[in-house]
């Protein structure tokens, strides 16, 4: 009987009708208790019929419908504080104190090898259009397992927006159950009986696939062939040409859709751009209708539609038959904070990108000119001119959700530390304004851009596995309207009146 409904008693409070799935790890139940009581899992002592619940297995802890579960433990805020509050410096603070002092966002508790899911959610949360669509999602709209997964992710986004640690823990537990229902392979168990580690890239693809079917494009937008928010903001198009190298055949042209690009890592690939470029032109083998046998073709791809948010996967894992594992390529591959994909685009798209790129260049040139003028001025006046700015759309007028410049800015990195995809640890590194945060499950800490750029690989430290680039936003300074001076007829000697 894996699912039961129990009563949870904590002090004088009683919580009836708490659903427990004993196929999940006990830490999931403790996360539910945390959501109800606010008592951290490591502070909880959970007892039923004289048996104490362990963290790693249910053991002799047997639950039946309507069973009474006693919870002992106090919330952190209930623990008496020291009578004298001493001054604490940032350098001396632990991670919890630092999060409070810097107003850091909530993280997601690890429910037993669920770091792959937590890191995926934190990265996707950096896309404002996706986050808003999830916050406005109608959770009563049905949709089977995909609908349940979308509803659970909607609840998780809401909890992360300010629901507190308890709400985040409960939302993470429900999201995990929905993910297991949508993709049962994520519920696999390891040799010790606990949940097995999973591939974050597969989790990313599974969540995006569900959202693709459940988040429609806003009805107020112009008619388009893109029917979902995912296709609108993450979907791109490739113009593909196949040329046979062994026979005189006319080139075959077609189009392909993508939700992410792949950077294959070879001995020659040292930078992200070269890895992407090499994938755009490759040799493949396919049946030749002219020769009646397999022949070598050159496949050339050019991007004809750029999405607003570009996902790039480093293909770091390959199957090693001898050990029967997905082994990892640790090679150092550099990636930039600012990415320009103009050279990967088709000539037609390049022509459409040119006007916005010219505006970016004009702004960059004016900034250089202003900085040079500023150097020649007196250093005595340190005041900065506050100037209003106009934000230009990053999409084409008839294609909301596209990228109209080819310029991108890095906003999230999902990393893996370990030697295989079925082991190790996943972490999300996300941009917040001009700063960066490291989201390591429920621990969120500030990091620098230099630390993010060191995630390029080359050792056993965290290696970038998935990159999420957002559109570079063009902000043009507004021209100040000249002050209009109107001279009124007044007695001589009085100054003119300035009417703004």
């Amino acid at each position: 009987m894996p699912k039961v409904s129990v009563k949870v008693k904590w002090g004088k409070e009683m919580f009836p009708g708490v659903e427990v799935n004993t196929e999940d790890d006990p830490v999931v139940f403790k996360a539910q208790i945390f959501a109800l009581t606010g008592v951290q899992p490591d502070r909880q002592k959970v007892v039923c019929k004289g048996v104490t619940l362990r963290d790693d297995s249910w053991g002799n802890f047997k639950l039946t419908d309507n069973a009474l579960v006693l919870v002992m433990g106090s919330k952190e805020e209930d623990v008496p504080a020291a009578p004298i509050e001493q001054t604490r410096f940032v350098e001396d603070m632990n991670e919890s104190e630092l999060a409070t002092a810097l107003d850091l966002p909530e993280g997601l508790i690890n429910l037993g090898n669920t770091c792959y899911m937590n890191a995926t959610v934190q990265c996707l949360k950096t896309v404002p259009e996706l986050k808003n669509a999830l916050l406005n999602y109608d959770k009563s709209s049905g949709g089977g397992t995909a609908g349940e997964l979308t509803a659970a992710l909607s609840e998780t986004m809401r909890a992360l927006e300010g629901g507190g640690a308890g709400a985040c823990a409960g939302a993470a537990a429900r999201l995990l159950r929905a993910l297991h229902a949508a993709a049962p392979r994520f519920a696999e168990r390891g040799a010790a009986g606990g949940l097995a580690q999973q591939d974050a890239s597969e989790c990313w693809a599974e969540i995006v696939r569900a959202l693709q079917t459940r988040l429609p494009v806003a009805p107020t937008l112009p008619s388009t062939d893109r029917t979902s928010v995912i296709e609108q903001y993450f979907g791109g198009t490739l113009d593909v040409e196949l040329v046979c190298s062994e026979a005189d055949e006319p080139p075959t042209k077609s189009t392909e859709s993508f939700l992410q690009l792949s950077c294959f890592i070879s001995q020659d690939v040292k930078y992200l751009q070269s890895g992407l470029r090499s994938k755009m032109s490759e040799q493949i083998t396919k049946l030749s209708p002219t020769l009646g046998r397999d022949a070598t073709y050159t496949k050339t791809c050019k991007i004809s539609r750029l999405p607003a948010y570009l996902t790039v996967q480093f293909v770091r894992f390959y199957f090693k038959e001898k050990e029967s594992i997905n082994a990892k390529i640790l090679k150092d591959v550099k990636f930039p904070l600012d990415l320009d994909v103009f050279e990967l685009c088709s000539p037609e798209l390049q022509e459409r990108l040119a006007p916005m790129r010219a505006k970016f260049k004009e702004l960059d040139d004016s900034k250089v000119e202003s900085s040079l003028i500023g150097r020649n001025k007196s250093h005595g006046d340190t005041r900065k001119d506050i100037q209003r700015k106009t934000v230009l759309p990053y999409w084409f007028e008839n294609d909301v959700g596209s990228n109209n410049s080819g310029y991108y800015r890095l906003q999230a990195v999902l990393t893996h530390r370990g030697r295989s995809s079925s082991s190790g640890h996943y972490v999300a590194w996300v941009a917040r304004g001009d700063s960066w945060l490291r989201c390591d499950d429920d621990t969120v800490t500030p990091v620098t851009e230099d630390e993010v750029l060191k995630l390029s690989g080359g050792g056993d430290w965290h290696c970038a596995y998935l990159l999420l680039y957002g559109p570079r936003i063009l902000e043009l300074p507004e021209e100040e309207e000249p002050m209009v001076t109107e001279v009124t007829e007044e007695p001589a000697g009085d100054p003119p009146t300035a009417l703004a």
Side-chain angles (χ1 to χ4, degrees):
M1 194 173 178
K3 293 185 179 180
V4 294
S5 178
V6 301
K7 295 179 293 186
V8 175
K9 189 174 188 301
W10 175 62
K12 296 181 181 179
E13 296 189 52
M14 180 72 77
F15 304 94
V18 178
E19 292 189 0
V20 184
N21 188 345
T22 55
E23 289 184 346
D24 293 332
D25 284 349
V27 70
V28 176
F29 181 37
K30 288 194 171 186
Q32 291 177 266
I33 295 173
F34 177 30
L36 294 171
T37 65
V39 179
Q40 292 278 357
D42 57 354
R43 289 178 176 268
Q44 296 174 13
K45 182 177 181 181
V46 183
V47 180
C48 182
K49 297 179 182 178
V51 180
T52 302
L53 178 63
R54 296 167 52 187
D55 287 337
D56 53 351
S57 69
W58 294 95
N60 294 325
F61 193 87
K62 306 297 182 183
L63 290 179
T64 56
D65 276 326
N66 212 33
L68 179 63
V69 178
L70 301 177
V71 178
M72 289 166 275
S74 58
K75 295 187 286 186
E76 287 186 355
E77 54 263 37
D78 294 335
V79 179
I84 300 176
E85 185 177 347
Q86 298 179 343
T87 302
R88 296 279 290 171
F89 297 97
V90 172
E91 294 80 0
D92 300 325
M93 291 182 180
N94 59 35
E95 291 175 341
S96 176
E97 294 169 331
L98 195 62
T100 302
L102 299 178
D103 190 27
L104 298 178
E106 293 289 347
L108 293 170
I109 190 171
N110 193 317
L111 302 171
N113 279 333
T114 58
C115 55
Y116 67 92
M117 180 187 76
N118 296 343
T120 298
V121 171
Q122 293 285 12
C123 289
L124 292 176
K125 181 175 174 284
T126 65
V127 179
E129 294 87 352
L130 176 60
K131 183 178 70 175
N132 291 336
L134 284 167
L135 292 176
N136 295 322
Y137 178 70
D138 181 6
K139 291 184 281 188
S140 63
S141 60
T145 56
E148 292 174 4
L149 181 56
T150 305
L153 188 58
S154 171
E155 183 183 352
T156 304
M157 290 291 176
R158 198 173 300 278
L160 287 170
E161 281 296 285
C168 288
R174 286 183 280 275
L175 178 60
L176 181 64
R177 284 199 294 270
L179 181 62
H180 287 176
R185 68 182 182 278
F186 290 108
E188 293 175 354
R189 301 275 168 172
L195 287 172
Q197 181 64 281
Q198 301 292 336
D199 190 326
S201 177
E202 294 180 6
C203 176
W204 183 297
E206 191 64 42
I207 289 177
V208 167
R209 189 179 299 114
L211 299 181
Q212 191 173 0
T213 64
R214 299 304 306 160
L215 295 180
V217 172
T220 56
L221 295 177
S223 179
T224 175
D225 57 348
R226 300 184 182 277
T227 58
S228 76
V229 171
I230 293 297
E231 293 171 357
Q232 183 181 11
Y233 290 98
F234 291 79
T237 306
L238 293 171
D239 287 343
V240 182
E241 183 179 74
L242 288 174
V243 177
C244 183
S245 306
E246 302 178 32
D248 187 14
E249 295 178 358
T252 303
K253 296 184 179 181
S254 61
T255 60
E256 295 180 2
S257 299
F258 68 87
L259 293 177
Q260 68 177 32
L261 296 179
S262 298
C263 176
F264 285 86
I265 301 174
S266 64
Q267 188 174 358
D268 299 329
V269 173
K270 297 180 180 179
Y271 299 95
L272 170 66
Q273 294 91 325
S274 59
L276 292 175
R277 192 164 50 244
S278 65
K279 181 61 179 174
M280 291 293 177
S281 180
E282 59 181 340
Q283 300 290 320
I284 66 169
T285 301
K286 64 180 289 288
L287 180 64
S288 168
T290 304
L291 301 176
R293 60 173 175 81
D294 286 344
T296 302
Y297 284 76
T298 299
K299 180 180 180 181
T300 305
C301 300
K302 290 291 183 181
I303 300 174
S304 55
R305 197 261 184 185
L306 281 172
Y309 298 91
L310 184 64
T311 307
V312 180
Q313 180 196 10
F314 284 109
V315 185
R316 288 197 174 274
F317 296 106
Y318 67 98
F319 187 70
K320 210 169 184 178
E321 293 187 15
K322 189 175 181 181
E323 289 86 358
S324 296
I325 60 170
N326 283 325
K328 184 176 177 182
I329 302 172
L330 299 173
K331 191 176 189 303
D332 183 1
V333 180
K334 304 293 184 187
F335 56 88
L337 291 174
D338 292 293
L339 178 66
D340 182 5
V341 297
F342 183 78
E343 64 173 338
L344 304 180
C345 300
S346 65
E348 295 78 13
L349 180 55
Q350 288 180 345
E351 186 176 346
R352 296 179 64 202
L353 297 175
M356 183 60 74
R357 293 174 68 85
K359 292 179 181 179
F360 270 109
K361 186 178 186 307
E362 183 179 346
L363 179 63
D364 292 340
D365 290 344
S366 67
K367 287 181 178 179
V368 172
E369 184 178 349
S370 298
S371 65
L372 292 175
I373 294 174
R375 288 181 185 179
N376 296 328
K377 286 184 177 181
S378 171
H379 295 288
D381 187 3
T382 58
R383 292 174 301 175
K384 291 184 178 179
D385 294 331
I386 300 175
Q387 195 172 21
R388 289 184 300 178
K389 295 181 178 180
T390 300
V391 178
L392 298 188
Y394 59 78
W395 59 84
F396 290 111
E397 185 178 358
N398 61 344
D399 189 5
V400 177
S402 61
N403 182 306
N404 62 4
S405 68
Y407 292 128
Y408 288 92
R409 177 74 179 174
L410 185 66
Q411 66 182 48
V413 182
L414 192 154
T415 62
H416 177 265
R417 183 178 185 180
R419 292 296 179 119
S420 74
S421 61
S422 57
S423 63
H425 187 59
Y426 292 96
V427 171
W429 311 67
V430 300
R432 185 174 73 162
D434 295 329
S435 60
W436 280 81
L437 300 174
R438 168 178 165 164
C439 302
D440 187 352
D441 291 327
D442 56 345
T443 302
V444 180
T445 52
V447 292
T448 65
E449 284 187 349
D450 288 340
E451 290 178 275
V452 173
L453 291 175
K454 290 178 182 177
L455 302 173
S456 55
D460 284 329
W461 180 237
H462 288 277
C463 295
Y465 186 27
L466 287 165
L467 303 176
L468 181 59
Y469 283 92
R472 184 181 169 193
I473 306 299
L474 181 60
E475 296 180 328
L476 294 179
E478 293 184 5
E479 294 184 3
E480 295 183 2
E481 295 183 2
M483 183 176 291
V484 178
T485 303
E486 181 180 323
V487 180
T488 59
E489 293 185 4
E490 294 183 3
D494 291 341
T497 303
L499 302 178

